[in-house]
Amino acid sequence: MRAFLSLATASLFSLAIAGPALAQGAAPAADAPVTPMTPDVIAHFDQVLPSADFIRREAMVPMRDGTKLYTVIVMKKGTRGGPILLSRTPYDAWGSTHRVASQRIVDILETMDAEFAEDGYIRVYQDIRGMHRSEGTYIMNRPIAGPLNNTGIDESTDAYDTIDWLVKNVPETNGKVGVIGSSYLGFTTLMAEINPHPALKAAVPESPMVDGWMGDDWFHNGAFRVTSLSYATTQVVNKGDGGGDFALGKGDDYTRWLEAGSVGDFAAKLGISQVPGVRKWLENPAYTPFWSEQAVDKWLAARPLTVPTMLEVGQWDQEDSYGAPAVYRALEPKDKNNDMVTLVIGPWRHSGANHGGSSLGALDFTGDTAHEWRVKYLKPFFDHWLKDAADPHTPPVLTYATGINQWQESPRWPMGTGQALYLGANGSAGFAKPGVAGHDDYVSDPAHPVPFIPRPLDMDDGAQWKPWLVHDQRFVSGRPDVAEWQTATLDKPVHIMGAPEVDLYAATTGTDSDWVVKLIDVYPNDVPEAADQGGRPSMAGYELPIGIEIFRGRYAQSFAKPAALKPGQVVHYHWALPNVNHVFLPGHKLKVQVQSTLFPLYDRNPQTFVPNIMFAKPGDYRKATQSVWFGGDKASAVVLPVVAE
């Protein structure tokens, strides 16, 4: 174990040089009397007492190029023959093993680790190269070795080398390794499956970053997420240990971003235009090979499926809703016996599966759904592959049906069959194609964009950000720049399982435009029992978004080659909303909202075509009349994946 930096020690304190011996450089004896001038300094303090129920080790694990990565290994005392559960993170491995200062392993580790730690798993967290305590150079979502990376080193090789070292240097292990992690850690989990080490027996990528242009963190269908700018600086300053936040004070971010102008203008104002991560976005706004060749689902599609994989995503994941279903589509054709790949969709926010899952925003579920998934499905999955436990017969697809609040197992995904919910005249919507053709118009003004949640906005406030996708949409109803269509009251349930697809026929008087479509469950205007009698806060008339997604008009014909729209010309747009399992109950209504801004989550489209929106000038931002067509040969609809009851 010579590579370990530190082990549990019998002595908790190391005394500093003290008293008269200070000048001679000799420390006083432990039993020497203290004086008023004895220095009140110690060289080391170990919080971990001999009575702690865990062992914690630190190691600098060498990679094939000589770079050493900081790695923390934690296990319960007495562990023998334990499997390793590895997470590779840019977010501080030390912090991931110091959640609470405690003598109990379930306290120091992340909440989701509790059941594993108590059952003999060896929990390992590692800082990826260039971050926190690891050596090397950090590259955000480092591309796989190949056309975009000629170094031969990537997160796949680092995972391989790490696993190889662990199984040879952790004597308490049984030699089997699983990988797990959410968001960026979901990306590194997937990377471990590319040319995997033989000891890697199972993987659980949660909300993985897969394609940052199509629908994960940086862009959605070409529209840029402005909060990405702060991520680029917080990650790279001081190796992620702080100092990269923008010093902008507090206040309404809606106003701040509106006054800033374009993304390029704001980057210049902040002095970050030359930050490499920022330049990658500013200089590459289209889906050229710069982005398309970084798509992890494409990498996985080109390789054999050898590692049992459970993909997880939250139904209301506000950061990475695209990745897990995209990887499922890439891997499922290789799963010949339908027993190697599982897709899980839970009623959660981003990374919510690893925390409490009893509620989200105004929604309450029947118990802690996240804990239930971890105990009933996740751990048995790992136990089978890493501990030779009995086959739990993990379902090919596991989704939580919101609306009726129950887990459902399925043989495939999607389960529903497409059924068009048509937009019609006078704000009506229905499953019958309208007999009358026409269009509804609204004026989109970039000077007065539609906010994505009610103002004032604080993009750093988790209470605003985490549940925003379930926020009551009545706050924009009645705005002149939001068009709405609604069904009659349902007399029977409508159950959807899959990704609703947008078929939008629309025109603009401008030469570019964004289109935002929302699918909404409108609650009946019932009044529940009063809260002081034990009831829940009223959701009477609540407009629950089931899916919200944006599309940048310039990419209607090609994601790689943007083109100006012709004023007044009707264009057929097609894109998907996030994957869901939801039941619209009798007494509810379905609503569709269409708008052209979702600010400041996404940058404003100037509605005048410019070669690069990132550098649009004030004069480029102009009002435009937007026309959404219905009926006839331009029948706009949201195609729902309906399951026959």
Side-chain angles (χ1 to χ4, degrees), residues 226-227 248-262 266 269 443-461 464 475-476 479-482 518 595-605 621:
V226 298
T227 50
L248 295 173
K250 289 295 182 180
D252 187 358
D253 281 331
Y254 180 100
T255 300
R256 177 175 292 115
W257 275 95
L258 192 61
E259 293 174 345
S262 68
F266 197 38
K269 176 181 178 181
V443 175
S444 174
D445 184 357
H448 301 282
V450 182
F452 77 100
I453 54 175
R455 298 172 61 188
L457 286 163
D458 181 355
M459 300 299 283
D460 293 326
D461 182 359
Q464 290 189 20
F475 80 100
V476 298
R479 280 188 61 124
D481 49 2
V482 177
K518 307 175 186 176
Q595 59 199 58
S596 292
T597 47
L598 200 61
F599 189 76
L601 176 57
Y602 295 99
D603 63 325
R604 294 174 301 148
N605 191 314
Y621 292 88

Side-chain angles (χ1 to χ4, degrees), residues 359-365 463 466-468 470-471 536 539 542:
S359 63
L360 180 63
L363 300 180
D364 285 327
F365 309 117
K466 292 176 182 178
W468 88 263
V470 297
H471 198 287
R536 289 287 299 153
M539 290 186 69
Y542 198 96

Side-chain angles (χ1 to χ4, degrees), residues 245-539:
D245 295 321
F246 299 153
L248 295 173
K250 289 295 182 180
D252 187 358
D253 281 331
Y254 180 100
T255 300
R256 177 175 292 115
W257 275 95
L258 192 61
E259 293 174 345
S262 68
V263 174
D265 288 339
F266 197 38
K269 176 181 178 181
L270 295 170
I272 61 171
S273 297
Q274 297 307 310
V275 172
V278 175
R279 288 188 59 194
K280 290 176 182 180
W281 297 317
L282 294 179
E283 298 171 18
N284 298 277
Y287 197 57
T288 62
F290 185 95
W291 297 115
S292 62
E293 292 186 6
Q294 293 191 54
V296 182
D297 56 325
K298 295 182 177 67
W299 299 341
L300 290 164
R303 288 165 173 78
L305 171 64
T306 59
V307 180
T309 302
M310 179 183 285
L311 296 150
E312 178 275 321
V313 68
Q315 182 161 297
W316 287 287
D317 189 309
Q318 78 280 11
E319 296 179 26
D320 294 301
S321 62
Y322 178 87
V327 171
Y328 175 80
R329 291 191 297 271
L331 294 183
E332 181 56 23
K334 306 172 188 293
D335 188 7
K336 301 304 182 183
N337 296 321
N338 209 20
D339 60 358
M340 287 278 285
V341 179
T342 292
L343 175 65
V344 177
I345 303 175
W348 309 311
R349 59 163 173 94
H350 183 66
S351 297
N354 293 332
H355 302 282
S358 298
S359 63
L360 180 63
L363 300 180
D364 285 327
F365 309 117
T366 52
D368 188 339
T369 58
H371 183 262
E372 186 176 12
W373 168 68
R374 296 195 300 264
V375 171
K376 291 186 177 181
Y377 294 96
L378 174 64
K379 188 169 182 296
F381 171 80
F382 273 130
D383 286 349
H384 175 59
W385 294 108
L386 303 184
K387 300 180 73 173
D388 297 321
D391 187 350
H393 300 291
T394 305
V397 177
L398 174 70
T399 56
Y400 190 86
T402 53
I404 58 174
N405 290 341
Q406 62 180 232
W407 286 106
Q408 296 181 334
E409 299 181 1
S410 310
R412 64 186 182 280
W413 193 260
M415 283 294 292
T417 301
Q419 185 172 348
L421 175 66
Y422 291 102
L423 311 186
N426 302 315
S428 65
F431 293 105
K433 190 173 182 179
V436 177
H439 58 87
D440 284 343
D441 301 342
Y442 62 90
V443 175
S444 174
D445 184 357
H448 301 282
V450 182
F452 77 100
I453 54 175
R455 298 172 61 188
L457 286 163
D458 181 355
M459 300 299 283
D460 293 326
D461 182 359
Q464 290 189 20
W465 173 239
K466 292 176 182 178
W468 88 263
L469 278 171
V470 297
H471 198 287
D472 190 343
Q473 295 301 299
R474 284 178 292 187
F475 80 100
V476 298
S477 292
R479 280 188 61 124
D481 49 2
V482 177
E484 298 184 325
W485 293 263
Q486 183 171 273
T487 68
T489 301
L490 297 177
D491 58 7
K492 60 182 180 180
V494 175
H495 188 181
I496 62 174
M497 297 179 73
E501 296 183 355
V502 175
D503 266 328
L504 182 70
Y505 292 86
T508 178
T509 58
T511 52
D512 198 1
S513 179
D514 286 351
W515 303 98
V516 177
V517 171
K518 307 175 186 176
L519 175 65
I520 297 168
D521 184 345
V522 180
Y523 280 53
N525 217 18
D526 299 335
V527 179
E529 185 178 38
D532 62 1
Q533 298 297 319
R536 289 287 299 153
S538 175
M539 290 186 69

